[in-house]
Amino acid sequence: MKPDFTTIQRIPDEELSPKEIRYVALVQVDLMALYRRWGRPDIGVDALAEWLCFAFALPSGEKFTLQREAYNPPTPGFLLSVTSTLFSAEAAAQVIEALDIPEAFAIELSSEIAN
């Protein structure tokens, strides 16, 4: 069954375990564009930093998140991490499109899937 990207919904960041997601792409998307379309980011904290997080779920249960360091992001974009079913270049492109932010695009793909 192919994932349905037509009805993504925002979920609390706590619903995603770091163990169930993998980095797939660096996405250029403006924080304010995400804020206007999807609301305030969740704030996550780990041993490294404080993170701005936007977590989502598809109707079929797949999940993904956009994260970036809150205060001193080392890159201009957000890290896109996904559950295993979405770990492909094609699915990453569909996720970015489903965000409904026309100017969002992948800057780079994970070396595990990049050609």
Side-chain angles (χ1 to χ4, degrees):
M1 184 168 122
K2 291 190 79 163
D4 174 9
F5 292 93
T6 59
T7 316
I8 63 171
Q9 97 178 28
R10 183 86 189 272
I11 60 172
D13 183 54
E14 303 86 48
E15 289 186 24
L16 271 174
S17 162
K19 292 178 180 164
E20 69 180 317
I21 58 172
R22 290 170 61 190
Y23 165 75
V24 70
L26 179 60
V27 177
Q28 178 63 49
V29 60
D30 183 65
L31 172 60
M32 290 311 295
L34 280 169
Y35 180 88
R36 283 190 298 274
R37 175 64 182 95
W38 296 104
R40 298 180 72 97
D42 292 329
I43 306 295
V45 178
D46 64 17
L48 299 175
E50 195 168 303
W51 300 86
L52 302 179
C53 308
F54 292 87
F56 300 89
L58 302 179
S60 50
E62 292 90 353
K63 297 175 185 173
F64 64 94
T65 185
L66 290 164
Q67 298 177 304
R68 89 175 205 194
E69 194 174 322
Y71 298 111
N72 298 301
T75 65
F78 280 78
L79 304 174
L80 172 61
S81 298
V82 299
T83 50
S84 61
T85 309
L86 300 177
F87 193 76
S88 72
E90 178 185 352
Q94 291 176 301
V95 162
I96 294 166
E97 185 177 328
L99 290 172
D100 194 26
I101 300 174
E103 64 272 12
F105 65 94
I107 297 172
E108 67 181 31
L109 293 174
S110 163
S111 61
E112 294 180 46
I113 61 170
N115 292 335

